[in-house]
Amino acid sequence: MASKIVFPKEFLWGAATASYQIEGAWNKHGKGESTWDRFSHTPGKIMNGDTGDIADDHYRLWKKDVGLMKKLGLQAYRFSISWPRILPTGRGKVNQRGVDFYSKLVDSLLEANITPFVTLFHWDAPQALEEEGGWPMRFMAEAFVEYTDVISRALGDRVKNWITHNEPAVVAWLGYGIGVHAPGRTDFKLALPAAHHLLLSHGWAVPVIRRNSPNAEVGITLNIGWKVPASNSVADLDLARRDDGQWFRWFADPVYGRGYPSDVTEDFKKMDALPNGMDFVREGDMKTIAAPTDFIGLNYYSRNISRASEKDNDPQIFFPQPQTPEYWTEMPWENYPDGLTGVLGRVYFNYNPLKLYITENGASYSTPPDEKGNVPDVHRTNYLRTHFVAMHRAIQAGVPLAGYFVWSLLDNFEWSFGYSQRFGIVWVDYKTQKRYPKDSAKWYRKVIKKNGF
Ligand code: FCB
């Protein structure tokens, strides 16, 4: 049967992971402690007391994992670098063994014809720097640039696609505001400067990467949901505006030279998160943050519906569909593919990035292997297929979407949920570290081969 949905010729198909979620080896070969090591070792923070101490043991099994990627036909692999593996205390002394690990990984990916996409910061900051104050402090952005310089000099000859940050909103709001992520601080007065320094470090890092990695493409990855009000009431509309403002526009607007959105600044003032106004913003910062980039990475998973009548006043997920696995993944996040077409169009037509990547998209389903070792994860395949159709629609509408990375290559440590959520297209048996490609991975392989389905 001929393919009905065909993607543009150069479209890149990949998979994504993050250092803390897969590597393990948290204290091996000179690696320093990260904020996530500290957080997960603190009782009560992570479901079931899970930690990333071993995770997928990828630090040891990386060669096999590259072999697996090759077998699946992946064209690109997005992974992150553990900052404290490179600089154990965050700056100063370099841990050469850490650099070598990533350097060999890159070589082996290139040998397998897989394009590496490197994320510099996917949340595991050096604990030593957190002890000096972490992201709420300006020095943290300076330290990030030192780290960027070291690693982009080491890999820049071979890595040509760089992502400075993954979802800075999650680090700032969940890590410093709400405290359910590392470093577990709970003060929005800290979260606001943290967000600013994350953005500032992005802006400072862009020219450093360009200098060390000729002809590289550089971007940032932001999380985005399809935000809708539950009704047309003023209260619901306003809640949806705030939800989108705090989680997306607060980050996208500065990156695209628009400064911080004033309506959201007002919201933060009402939350008493800006007692001294924006005093952490220095002259020239906004220009730095708006450094031209080559692409934006978007992580899209679901739709968020705002209902102001909910008493805790948080954006509430509304349940308009049957609560079956077809519509609800196990997070539980709604399977809402139309939102992917929506966010792609909205970001492209509002911000005009040169190109876009979906740097994460995927679903948590716990379907286990059967006796033969097959994993019939039909709901994940359904999720992927419907999202691919949604991407294709956006491309046809003129959105320059250049590639897609499924989250995730492997089942892994899902932050505060520990190992209870499985997003992989490959099942990981955490006792034996055996990997079992799920049916979704086998289907994905065919899609990649045909560049469509
Ligand atoms: C994103 C994270 C990623 C993973 C997915 C499920 O917010 O970037 O590490 O946990 O959610």
Side-chain angles (χ1 to χ4, degrees), residues 183-384:
R185 294 165 80 179
T186 52
D187 185 353
F188 270 90
K189 293 183 193 74
L190 298 176
L192 269 292
H196 182 67
H197 298 137
L198 283 155
L199 286 167
L200 183 63
S201 74
H202 156 78
W204 276 339
V206 171
V208 173
I209 297 167
R210 294 204 192 287
R211 191 182 67 220
N212 293 337
S213 183
N215 305 316
E217 301 208 334
V218 189
I220 188 169
T221 280
L222 302 180
N223 47 304
I224 188 165
W226 184 240
K227 311 279 185 184
V228 286
S231 77
N232 278 332
S233 76
V234 172
D236 285 353
L237 284 163
D238 193 55
L239 194 58
R241 173 198 62 75
R242 261 177 41 196
D243 185 20
D244 177 61
Q246 293 177 9
W247 284 97
F248 188 71
R249 284 186 290 127
W250 194 256
F251 297 86
D253 281 18
V255 166
Y256 286 94
R258 300 177 183 181
Y260 288 112
S262 55
D263 64 307
V264 188
T265 312
E266 291 311 308
D267 296 332
F268 282 130
K269 282 189 186 151
K270 278 183 213 148
M271 283 168 65
D272 199 26
L274 291 168
N276 306 311
M278 304 281 281
D279 63 345
F280 43 80
V281 181
R282 295 203 193 151
E283 204 180 326
D285 282 5
M286 300 319 289
K287 197 165 165 230
T288 300
I289 294 170
T293 48
D294 303 291
F295 62 86
I296 189 167
L298 296 176
N299 294 350
Y300 173 82
Y301 287 92
S302 195
R303 155 166 84 164
N304 310 96
I305 298 178
S306 286
R307 261 196 306 185
S309 57
E310 291 297 326
K311 44 177 181 325
D312 62 2
N313 221 25
D314 259 347
Q316 292 290 315
I317 292 182
F318 181 60
F319 290 78
Q321 295 167 337
Q323 291 187 40
T324 60
E326 202 185 336
Y327 291 106
W328 290 94
T329 71
E330 291 176 19
M331 267 313 256
W333 294 342
E334 185 187 8
N335 174 2
Y336 192 70
D338 286 356
L340 180 53
T341 313
V343 298
L344 283 168
R346 181 247 172 137
V347 170
Y348 179 59
F349 296 112
N350 281 342
Y351 295 94
N352 289 113
L354 295 174
K355 62 180 169 187
L356 302 87
Y357 288 99
I358 292 299
T359 41
E360 286 180 29
N361 170 251
S364 169
Y365 290 108
S366 56
T367 326
D370 62 21
E371 329 71 62
K372 291 195 197 115
N374 293 318
V375 185
D377 60 337
V378 285
H379 298 301
R380 180 172 292 97
T381 303
N382 171 53
Y383 180 101
L384 295 180

Side-chain angles (χ1 to χ4, degrees), residues 21 122-123 166-167 299 301 333 360 407 414-415 423:
Q21 296 180 275
H122 201 128
W123 309 351
N166 178 70
E167 305 189 353
N299 294 350
Y301 287 92
W333 294 342
E360 286 180 29
W407 185 270
E414 180 48 35
W415 310 113
F423 277 90

Side-chain angles (χ1 to χ4, degrees), residues 127-141:
Q127 178 64 25
L129 298 184
E130 178 55 32
E131 256 134 61
E132 288 179 49
W135 286 111
M137 311 290 287
R138 197 170 173 99
F139 86 89
M140 190 74 173

